[in-house]
Amino acid sequence: MKKRILSLLLLMALLCTVLSGCGGGSTTQGTSGSEQSSGSAQTQPAANEITVGIAQDLDDSLDPHKTVKAGTREVMFNVFEGLMKPTPDGDLIPAVAESYTVSEDRLTYTFTLRDGVKFHNGDTVTAEDVVYSINRCAAASETGIVQVEAFSAIQELKAVDERTVSITIAEPSNEFLSYLTVAVLPADYDQQDTAPVGTGPFKFVSRAAQDSVVLEKFDGYWGTPAYLDKVTLKIIENADTLMMSLQSGAIDLCSHLTSTQVAQLGDDFDVAEGTMNLVQAMYLNNAEKPFDDVRVRQALCCAVDKQQIIDLAFDGYGSPIGSSMYPAFGKYFDDSLTDYYTRDVDKAKALLADAGYPNGFDMTITVPSNYKPHMDTAEVLVQQLADIGVNAAIQPIEWESWVSDVYAGRQFQSTVVGVDASNMTARALLERFTSAYGKNFINYSSDEYDRLFQQVLASSDDEEQTALYKQMERNLTENAANVYIQDLADLVAVRKGLEGVTFYPIYVLDLSTVRYAA
């Protein structure tokens, strides 16, 4: 009897030991469903998924042809593809298209689609879908569609057969191909606003406004499949809450952190470093007094020390710039403009006096409060502008209000943000400042600038076109259209055990390459 009791006790002890090793003890459950040790050692989670922290909600509509926010484009890059797509090296390669040819006169592009490419709803991509998608962005006849101005050059667009598309343009163009990254959508599908369907490596699953977006691996993807099965994008607009979520294990990956935030991460994270590929500036409303006076704008440029901003707010991380172009654009970037204005308080004061403001003036800097890098930049700007008698006050604003009031409504004096390129063309960064352009939110107006852009459109010579774009950049700098600061460093917190973060020359987050280390 005693032996039977002893055997029973030993069996119970063994059972308790086994149970304590299966989820009890020193492990904690994260929001992504993966387990992590209470220490710094990481193991492959049972669920092949991650949670990514993002600082802003996406556009109200998830239709890629209606996208306004860079943050929406950044995330939905994983869901949509065009005939062409960018690579991390800055090249363009076929995506939905398998191949293409260009006629000798450089006017007709003929695309052959990949055989059997599937939309996320299971339908096969056809040439009619491509024609529909391009026409939709060319005409912009539907409410909310963002017109692709480059498509106004299309003379003929047709589906030759189910897998062949022919596009003829009016004049030879060095940039037209770059605009064919526009998303290919199913022609007979009308739920893109709320349940988007594309051809990318991830498919859209769900969205909770102001909370999260869920993507899942698309098993029918034509190309290299995503490594992860599921990604939850958690929207956390408050910077302190975002840091707590990282530190608690609720977030596995987060881009666009400052060096101060990175220093708070602890040992559970690695940090990947790239650049954001944005033109960060104090953008000035050129139609508002006193910023309608070029001397005032130039005075502000002379008051600012961009390297000091980078050193004080970003611990030296960042690349100073002098116009609306960033270094990743290679041949279009004019580094000689970076130091066109250097800090000169006496010159700045003289310019203000000449403009009729010998005692300076008051101004407001409107900043989206969910972007800590821009808030930190504004704080240093306030100090520097005070030295020339300009009393600048920061007005924090929610992102949605920034989009509606500042960007769309143009109701602001100045604002600190970063402006991105929707594709890898100089036109994508510079056309927005032409006088009649709908996205010219700073109300810049220069006859010379407009003439230069028309010369760009008329040119088919790459060298000549590049030189004209650089003249446009110089025009913006000399006329102090904005106070240019930097291309921000992109510091990405990556939980240990994850790898594969890839940087592009445009503002995107490629989740298909992120994976758990073997």
Side-chain angles (χ1 to χ4, degrees), residues 42-360:
Q42 304 292 318
T43 59
Q44 175 84 26
N48 184 30
E49 61 184 75
I50 63 171
T51 299
V52 177
I54 57 177
Q56 69 175 56
D57 200 358
L58 308 189
D59 282 290
D60 291 339
S61 170
L62 297 180
D63 186 326
H65 298 163
K66 298 179 181 179
T67 296
V68 174
K69 301 175 185 176
T72 304
R73 218 168 15 246
E74 176 186 30
V75 169
M76 301 307 278
F77 174 80
N78 298 280
V79 175
F80 299 108
E81 293 175 316
L83 288 170
M84 308 293 291
K85 69 177 182 180
T87 71
D89 295 326
D91 298 321
L92 278 176
I93 60 173
V96 173
E98 180 180 67
S99 61
Y100 68 94
T101 60
V102 183
S103 61
E104 287 188 11
D105 61 6
R106 298 176 59 202
L107 296 179
T108 300
Y109 296 73
T110 304
F111 291 87
T112 300
L113 306 187
R114 295 183 189 275
D115 188 20
V117 174
K118 298 290 186 181
F119 287 115
H120 299 151
N121 62 1
D123 292 346
T124 300
V125 178
T126 69
E128 291 294 345
D129 295 313
V130 175
V131 170
Y132 159 78
S133 300
I134 295 174
N135 273 333
R136 193 170 184 242
C137 293
S141 56
E142 295 178 45
T143 302
I145 299 295
V146 178
Q147 188 172 27
V148 178
E149 298 287 346
F151 288 168
S152 63
I154 296 175
Q155 298 290 292
E156 183 181 52
L157 170 64
K158 63 181 179 179
V160 179
D161 56 43
E162 283 199 349
R163 290 185 54 208
T164 308
V165 176
S166 174
I167 309 172
T168 301
I169 57 178
E171 300 288 343
S173 171
N174 299 317
E175 298 179 325
F176 184 74
L177 200 62
S178 295
Y179 284 89
L180 295 176
T181 56
V182 67
V184 174
L185 306 179
D188 58 354
Y189 183 75
D190 61 0
Q191 302 298 312
Q192 290 290 352
D193 287 330
T194 56
V197 167
T199 64
F202 283 94
K203 63 181 180 180
F204 172 83
V205 175
S206 64
R207 176 189 191 180
Q210 295 295 321
D211 181 74
S212 62
V213 174
V214 178
L215 307 179
E216 285 183 357
K217 177 181 179 178
F218 178 43
D219 291 330
Y221 184 55
W222 62 266
T224 303
Y227 290 93
L228 297 169
D229 295 327
K230 179 180 177 182
V231 176
T232 299
L233 296 125
K234 186 69 176 175
I235 299 155
I236 308 174
E237 295 192 347
N238 181 276
D240 293 333
T241 304
L242 179 62
M243 287 309 302
M244 287 189 289
S245 296
L246 282 163
Q247 293 163 345
S248 71
I251 299 297
D252 301 301
L253 187 150
C254 186
S255 303
H256 318 323
L257 298 179
T258 66
S259 55
T260 302
Q261 290 173 311
V262 164
Q264 301 173 35
L265 288 174
D267 296 330
D268 288 339
F269 287 89
D270 293 319
V271 178
E273 182 184 340
T275 58
M276 283 198 201
N277 300 315
L278 294 172
V279 176
Q280 190 205 38
M282 181 168 69
Y283 290 90
L284 305 173
N285 190 339
N286 286 223
E288 288 284 320
K289 288 187 177 298
F291 309 113
D292 57 344
D293 190 320
V294 65
R295 294 167 296 183
V296 171
R297 301 195 302 268
Q298 290 171 337
L300 298 185
C301 291
C302 290
V304 169
D305 184 338
K306 62 191 73 174
Q307 189 59 53
Q308 185 183 58
I309 292 172
I310 294 170
D311 291 340
L312 291 178
F314 303 97
D315 288 338
Y317 292 98
S319 303
I321 57 176
S323 191
S324 283
M325 190 65 60
Y326 51 80
F329 267 66
K331 64 182 180 181
Y332 298 114
F333 179 70
D334 187 351
D335 192 40
S336 71
L337 300 177
T338 300
D339 293 325
Y340 186 89
Y341 296 100
T342 57
R343 182 166 164 83
D344 188 332
V345 171
D346 291 337
K347 183 177 180 180
K349 288 181 176 179
L351 283 164
L352 286 182
D354 190 43
Y357 300 95
N359 300 315

